[in-house]
Amino acid sequence: MTSIIKLQALSGAMDESPPCYVLQVDEVRILLDCGWDEHFDMEIIKELRRHVHTIDAVLLSYPDVSHLGALPFAIGKLGLNCPIYATIPVYKMGQMFMYDLYQSHHNMEDFDLFSLDDVDATFEKIIQLKYNQSVPLKGKGYGLTITPLPAGHMIGGTIWKIMKVGEEDIIYANDFNHKKERHLNGCELEKLQRPSLFIIDAFNATYQQARRRARDEKLMTNILQTLRNNGNVLVAVDTAGRVLELAHMLDQLWRNKESGLLAYSLALLNNVSYNVVEFAKSQIEWMSDKLMRSFEGARNNPFQFKHLQLCHSLLELQKVPSPKVVLASSADMESGFSRELFLQWCSNPSNSIIITSRTSPGTLARDLIDNGGNRQIDLIVKRRVKLEGSELEEYQKNQRDRRDENANKDEESDSDDDIEMSVISKGRHDIVIKQEGKQSGGFFKVTKKQYPIYPFQEEKIKCDEYGEIIRPEDYKLAEVVPEAEDNKENVVIKKEEEDIPEVTEAPSKCIVLSRTVQVNCQVQYIDFEGRSDGESLMKILSQLRPRRVVIVRGSPESTATIQNHCQENIDARVFAPNRGEVVDATTETHIYQVRLTDALVSQLNFQKAKDAEVAWVNAEIVVRKGQLDAKRMNVDNEPMDVDEEDSKILTLEPYPTTIPHETVFVNELKLSEFKQVLAKSNITSEFSGGVLWCCNGTLAIRRVESGRVILEGCISEDYYRVKELLYEQYAVL
Amino acid sequence: MTTKRRQATVNRDYTPSNTDDLMIIKPLGAGQEVGRSCHILSYKKKTIMLDCGIHPGLTGFAALPFFDACDPAEIDLLLISHFHLDHIASLPYFMEKTNFKGRVFMTHPTKAIFKSLLSDFVKLSKISTEDMLFDEHDLDNCMERIETMNFHQQIEVNGIKFIPFNAGHVLGAALLEIEIAGVRILYTGDYSREDDRHLMAAEIPPCRPDVLIIESTYGTEVHEPSEEREHRFTSTVDEIVSRGGRCLIPVLALGRAQELLLIIDEYWEVNPRLQSIPIYYASSLANQCMSVYQTYIHMMNRRIQEQFSVSEENPFYFKHIKSLKSLQHFNDSGPAVFFASPGMLQSGTSRKLFDRWCSNPKNGCVICGYCVEGTLAKKLIQVGNVTEITTFEEGMKKPLKMSITEISFSAHADYVQTSTFIEALLPPHIVLVHGEASMMAKLRAALEKTYGDREDVSTTIYTPRNTEAVELYFRGEKKVKVLGTLAQFEPSNDTNVSGILVKKKFNYLLLDSEDLAEYAGLPVTTITQRQVVEYHFPFSVLKIYLAAMFTDLKFNIVSDDARESIQVFDAVTIIKESESMLALEWPANTVNDMIADAVVASIIQIELNPSTAKMIGSSCSHTHRAVPSKTQAPLLHSTCVVESDDARRDKERLRRSLLLLLESQYECVSVGKKEGTAADVIHVDTGTAKAVVFLETLDVECDDQNLARLIKNLCTNVVTSVNLL
């Protein structure tokens, strides 16, 4: 009956490393998040490598690198092969995060930890879900159901609920935000009552947040001051998560005519900015009620920006007139455009740099938060530079040699390519015209597939009563030829456009130099992380009252804070594993299912108690031979519930002899409410020192602690009347 | 296969003990007709309304579903399947003009389109009818109240669970799977199982429903394969514009139109020779709603999603289609393709253009949607050789020379789709709705033929008319989860289980009272009662008195308390508070309350009957005998000439108790005199027999021996229990 539940933290325990946990429920191992830090720490990978082959499913909570960053490596290089579950926005935006990360690193060094193909392969494995969509796992995980619930923080952000049929509900919640934001709803954790296991991060346990308004104003004044002093503002944000909140907020600010910002420019700079905004536009149903309502009512897409200009390179950014505010990735300033802009702008005191989230220790952004500006910083600068002079010549020579070699080798296959191409473009013609003078290779990326055999496309012949259907267009030779040429031209032109960025990339090398920069500009940290703060965490924990808590990710002090809170206030078993440690959180709940017979139900005397009805049952269990119950089969003819696999069915039948039992009073009394009840029956009562005195002080009702009530008084008729009324407040069983 | 009538009798034969098991499905509209979809589903005191449309062929109040056949206040939940007027348009009326208080759910795209669609409807009805069903203000109020749901998302309202699945048909159309107390109902709304340009085919829900409420628009008709009809469509349009004609395509503003636009846009893209010919789309409504299509890409099929992520271009940014605000902006010169609403040429833009273009044989009209009886479009395709039409505005007769082609792009399921859908689900009950009576009858006959001979399935088909209820009985299977301490041991045959059964939203839990707070979230309270009674006699007297009554007494159990105390049955503690005060303290429950009452009665008796107390107090060794002797003595000394106060009180108490007891047992009880005598009696009338109880002697007079014996027993019981006190 009882499931074995274990959790091992591969990373993200007792420190601020990214989350990555293995949850084991009986035979099934589920990987909860698979994050990587900004420096691509190989420790995580080492741990992951040991588990990779036992993992049956991966659940992702957020699209950012620290929640799914190691996944392309795990799939591309470690051979992780299992379904991955994520919400649609996590899927879409996660892809953007990884593309941007790859591109940013590729722009400055030879990056080989994973390739874009690995990223694509990873995201192909993702099963896209919606909030509150319950997915029963198959195979080993039979009986387990996973459900994503809204978490706030980032679009599509997920709190995972993992249910074992009827007995266990495990909640995995990290980095959630219970507060409503501009573009997102808050999480609704409080709806989940008493989960049997609650996995929560302690990252913010000791952190206090300024009020949202104060933060917004701080950002606003900083931006205005800097811009008025003719300085530029660099806002370091992530690629596709929190940036949406900031972009939406700033665009709205710009729209406000009185803000005085219209004269300045606003830009979003990352490698995928266009796509991020396009995807955001198509994910309105995942956003806050307010945005949804405005879209439903007036069809204003909130991400149809009016002022925010989308840039993909520094070159494009240069065209945006200064002074300007630039939202650039990445938030850690270890890579990407934010780092490059930092190098360019930091020495000018009129500029300003705003950091919006606390990234891992050791990153440039964190260093700036902790140590502030106005000092010299030694930085390692990595760059990809174009080859020049002798190097370029050498490279070109190499290339030429290689190409000649290839050309000799592939001469025949090359011609195949061309034939195939013309076959495709000509479509239905069986006479192949070989195109001349087109030698592929060199700067152009070869995207065509190469077939080992001569391509042959079989066409299905459609017939009607009169035989094969004749298509007039097959015989319109005169028209087809120019049309084909048209197409060809179009294709070629398009190709050139597409290839431009790749051409600039080709002959280059990566250099590393260390530089000391003087930070003169303003540096400010304004919290736009969108996470619940410490106080709220405690409040949520008290409301939820989980039976067991596993605390992960957070400094030892924060972990201890939550641990104390849980032990003192909610009487839960608490685990705080170290990295690599396995905690055994198995519960001792007992459970089985029986069927109620009508004979029993008709005997019962139900009474109302809160939102439920209760009745005392005195019954016996009878084992009956199960009839073939076709009703509850699903389409695949699999039984719906586990217990129907065995043919014996337990039923509850009335028990002939009554057995005395202790009376149970179900409900909780609120003295203030009881006062009103008394008033209705014309019994006067008043409060004094937490005691409800009735009937001129001859009777007293007190609540000693929750769940204990004392009725005290002289014997009198009133005593019995009050007693009756008091009993009426309960379901008495 | 049983017919409906036979099934009804079967149902009547089976008289369920519990009307709780009765499910009622009642169409208020779209029962043996097309239009004004609206169905009531009620089971286990939960009522759901499915869709809330109007009849497109009628106007004003006549177009509404039969709302008077239901009580709006009782409806817990209203679910909307998709945004077509015949499924949604009476919603503002229902929400604002009736006392409906439930919650309303629809999918995101449906809600986004709802507003514009209905404001358009309001504008049109302003012109044409006097009795407006609702206005803009009502609409705004509605928008506030409507909640949204996403596909595959399970939502629970009040114990009713429902999941929307993709239904094809139009953007945001949903199949609704509803579960009440373990019984599943699937409502298809309008659905299509065909994967088209932008919509995915209706999904087959993973669980088998018990009841399937399914549309039957096309009955047993079979659609032509999609490639063929697409080809026919593009080549027809191509032909018309190539011969220099104008091509009119009347469409419903939203829904199929977007599909046709995608097809035409794509066709123009691959045929550059056509690119000089303009395509217009004149519908401000559709124009407003394009952003909805551009936004909810994720609810469409794979093809569109791939296009969106690979090409990074939204397929709903058309390249060759120009939208026109109104006809005034239209420069009618030379060949053109014109999409115009409404789809059945009833009035409006499409009719205007039709009237303008109909006499030129070069021009052509392609009718693509489903046409309702009585519309011009239906007439054109039904009759075939119409040679003359009457123009809508001027009422002139005009010769009809333009070519008319019908290509059905209707996204309703045809017979093939319907039967495969049913085959996959094999529901025991099928309710046909949303279809003309003849179509429905054909479909029913066909289905009955298919499933009638099959051994493995028994399916019953219902075709209710409007307001005609289908009654189904489901013996809702009740499963209970035994949790916590109670479940500590593996269940085996004949083990006794007693505990508290908690019923919460059709879920049953069986718990020990200890676990109630833990698993059911229900707090348990212990009540302690403390009663103070006056008492002036020595404590020892009470001890003796109680010892006579109760077997289990403990003395001075509170060790650190100097005060004297007695505990009766480990429950009621009597503490001597002062010389004249006793305090009784006990944890409240039914048994303890009784013991406490008995103790209190004893105390009062000592107080009221000082002589006994004194006697007992003086000679405590004899008390044991003294009390029993009192109980043995007949309480009613009718022979006593002078009754003591005591005796009279006892008698009075006895009478009261007896009367109370009898009143609680029998219906008609009255006190009176025996006819002709002065004896006090109680008359008891059970309806079948009469009895007279003499209060003095406690004799019973009755014809019915059984009753006499029963009452006699009661009397003796009362006497013994009263004497005990």
Side-chain angles (χ1 to χ4, degrees), chain B residues 661-717:
Chain B
L661 193 66
L662 287 170
E663 269 175 348
S664 69
Q665 300 256 334
Y666 303 102
E667 275 175 27
C668 204
V669 179
S670 58
V671 191
K673 301 272 184 205
K674 171 83 179 160
E675 283 163 51
T677 64
D680 287 330
V681 292
I682 299 176
H683 294 281
V684 179
D685 187 355
T686 61
T688 51
K690 282 183 183 161
V692 180
V693 184
F694 293 90
L695 280 175
E696 295 294 317
T697 57
L698 288 182
D699 282 335
V700 182
E701 252 179 36
C702 181
D703 300 336
D704 188 337
Q705 286 304 310
N706 275 334
L707 185 66
R709 203 167 52 243
L710 261 172
I711 296 179
K712 185 76 197 160
N713 276 344
L714 274 177
C715 295
T716 23
N717 283 344

Side-chain angles (χ1 to χ4, degrees), chain A residues 1 88 92 128 130-134 166 194 274-275 278-279 281-286 292-293 295-297 299 301 304 473 479 483 486 545 547 589-596 598 601 604 606 609-623 629-635 640-641 643-644 650 652 655 659 662-669 707-715 719-720 723 726-727 730 733, chain B residues 108 111-112 115-116 143-144 148 150-154 182-184 204-208 210 270 272-273 288-289 291-292 294-299 305 308-309 312-314 317 424-425 474-475 477-484 486-504 508 510 513 516-519 521-533 586 588-591 593 597 600 604:
Chain A
M1 289 286 157
I88 294 173
K92 286 273 181 202
Q128 302 168 45
K130 282 147 199 149
Y131 286 146
N132 289 323
Q133 178 180 358
S134 295
R194 297 229 75 178
Y274 172 78
N275 302 59
E278 268 313 291
F279 288 151
K281 272 195 231 168
S282 71
Q283 290 167 354
I284 304 298
E285 70 265 33
W286 297 85
M292 251 193 302
R293 214 165 291 147
F295 179 71
E296 283 156 357
R299 285 168 309 281
N301 199 315
Q304 188 75 51
E473 53 268 57
E479 270 181 44
E483 186 193 317
D486 267 8
R545 303 201 306 130
R547 286 177 232 280
T589 11
H590 304 278
I591 186 167
Y592 58 84
Q593 249 189 353
V594 289
R595 202 175 284 182
L596 279 177
D598 286 346
V601 176
L604 295 178
F606 276 104
K610 273 179 130 182
D611 53 343
E613 286 176 74
V614 290
W616 183 269
V617 169
N618 190 26
E620 66 179 333
I621 289 173
V622 176
V623 182
D629 191 6
K631 215 182 97 183
R632 281 279 157 266
M633 299 287 191
N634 65 16
V635 179
M640 290 303 299
D641 294 318
D643 62 331
E644 267 163 11
L650 299 170
L652 269 187
Y655 193 62
I659 297 170
E662 280 281 313
T663 311
V664 187
F665 294 87
V666 185
N667 211 344
E668 209 162 12
L669 184 78
R708 276 199 63 201
V709 172
I710 297 183
L711 171 69
E712 196 172 358
C714 293
I715 186 158
Y719 183 94
Y720 288 97
K723 188 189 93 177
L726 183 64
Y727 279 18
Y730 297 93
L733 301 173
Chain B
H108 295 273
K111 190 178 175 192
K115 175 82 189 298
S116 345
M143 285 298 282
E144 286 290 307
T148 46
N150 206 339
F151 291 106
H152 302 130
Q153 190 172 42
Q154 179 176 313
V183 177
R184 283 200 191 84
I204 293 180
C207 299
R208 191 177 153 184
D210 299 294
V270 295
R273 75 195 155 80
Q288 279 170 30
C289 293
S291 64
V292 178
Q294 285 155 8
T295 299
Y296 294 113
I297 294 279
H298 298 296
M299 301 188 182
Q305 288 190 33
F308 180 54
S309 59
E312 293 155 14
E313 247 168 58
N314 201 314
Y317 295 134
L425 294 170
F474 288 97
R475 291 177 43 113
E477 185 172 279
K478 299 178 187 82
K479 281 227 181 108
V480 58
K481 272 184 209 159
V482 187
L483 271 174
L486 273 185
Q488 227 156 19
F489 303 102
E490 282 284 313
S492 58
N493 210 351
D494 298 331
T495 39
N496 167 257
V497 185
S498 9
I500 292 169
L501 187 69
V502 182
K503 181 181 168 191
K504 224 179 199 175
Y508 292 90
L510 188 57
S513 55
L516 209 56
E518 174 96 6
Y519 294 104
L522 293 171
V524 172
T525 308
T526 51
I527 300 175
T528 310
Q529 293 200 44
R530 225 175 106 87
Q531 225 171 27
V532 185
V533 191
W586 71 96
N589 67 37
T590 28
V591 179
D593 285 2
D597 285 350
V600 170
I604 292 173

Side-chain angles (χ1 to χ4, degrees), chain B residues 251-296:
Chain B
V251 285
L252 223 64
L254 293 165
R256 290 292 78 198
Q258 278 64 32
E259 171 79 6
L260 296 173
L261 290 175
L262 280 175
I263 295 172
I264 279 290
D265 196 50
E266 207 168 287
Y267 190 70
W268 252 238
E269 182 69 26
V270 295
N271 288 299
R273 75 195 155 80
L274 292 173
Q275 282 170 10
S276 58
I277 296 164
I279 309 171
Y280 296 106
Y281 188 22
S283 163
S284 62
L285 174 62
N287 205 15
Q288 279 170 30
C289 293
M290 273 328 282
S291 64
V292 178
Y293 276 83
Q294 285 155 8
T295 299
Y296 294 113

Side-chain angles (χ1 to χ4, degrees), chain A residues 101-143:
Chain A
L101 182 75
Y102 176 85
Q103 201 58 46
S104 303
H105 281 272
H106 183 78
N107 285 348
M108 57 186 219
E109 61 190 330
D110 285 322
F111 188 73
D112 57 357
L113 284 172
F114 57 85
S115 65
L116 289 177
D117 290 338
D118 291 336
V119 175
D120 287 343
T122 305
F123 283 87
E124 258 167 40
K125 284 194 162 51
I126 289 188
I127 298 166
Q128 302 168 45
L129 305 180
K130 282 147 199 149
Y131 286 146
N132 289 323
Q133 178 180 358
S134 295
V135 183
L137 294 185
K138 296 228 168 72
K140 257 203 281 180
Y142 191 81

Side-chain angles (χ1 to χ4, degrees), chain B residues 53-238:
Chain B
I54 54 143
H55 197 293
L58 304 169
T59 54
F61 287 102
L64 289 178
F66 296 92
F67 285 138
D68 40 1
C70 74
D71 180 2
E74 267 183 12
I75 294 169
D76 304 280
L77 184 62
L78 205 165
L79 301 176
I80 296 289
S81 65
H82 66 280
F83 61 66
H84 278 153
L85 285 177
D86 62 331
H87 290 260
I88 205 170
S90 59
L91 183 64
Y93 174 84
F94 193 70
M95 284 175 77
E96 295 300 314
K97 307 283 161 96
T98 68
N99 55 350
F100 165 71
K101 291 185 291 291
R103 291 170 71 180
V104 183
F105 283 88
M106 53 176 77
T107 58
H108 295 273
T110 310
K111 190 178 175 192
I113 289 172
F114 172 77
K115 175 82 189 298
S116 345
L117 193 73
L118 288 196
S119 1
D120 199 58
F121 176 75
V122 168
K123 268 178 223 142
L124 284 179
S125 56
K126 252 184 211 159
I127 307 164
S128 57
T129 53
E130 287 106 55
D131 41 348
M132 289 267 292
L133 294 174
F134 49 86
D135 55 24
E136 283 284 344
H137 180 69
D138 295 328
L139 258 184
D140 288 338
N141 289 347
C142 270
M143 285 298 282
E144 286 290 307
R145 267 176 76 189
I146 295 171
E147 294 169 78
T148 46
M149 57 189 180
N150 206 339
F151 291 106
H152 302 130
Q153 190 172 42
Q154 179 176 313
I155 302 173
E156 192 175 326
V157 173
N158 229 335
I160 307 164
K161 290 181 202 158
F162 60 96
I163 307 175
F165 291 95
N166 283 297
H169 193 60
V170 291
L171 177 63
L175 305 172
L176 295 160
E177 188 194 90
I178 301 151
E179 192 187 319
I180 309 172
V183 177
R184 283 200 191 84
I185 304 105
L186 183 69
Y187 173 58
T188 62
D190 291 355
Y191 77 107
S192 162
R193 292 271 298 138
E194 206 162 46
D195 213 354
D196 62 17
R197 291 279 152 150
H198 69 297
L199 296 168
M200 56 176 103
E203 293 167 286
I204 293 180
C207 299
R208 191 177 153 184
D210 299 294
V211 184
L212 176 67
I213 306 174
I214 191 169
E215 65 140 325
S216 48
T217 323
Y218 275 89
T220 49
E221 282 179 20
V222 177
H223 295 328
E224 103 191 90
S226 63
E227 302 91 54
E228 264 172 52
R229 76 178 178 198
E230 240 174 61
H231 181 249
R232 212 149 67 83
F233 174 67
T234 48
S235 53
T236 313
V237 174
D238 195 338

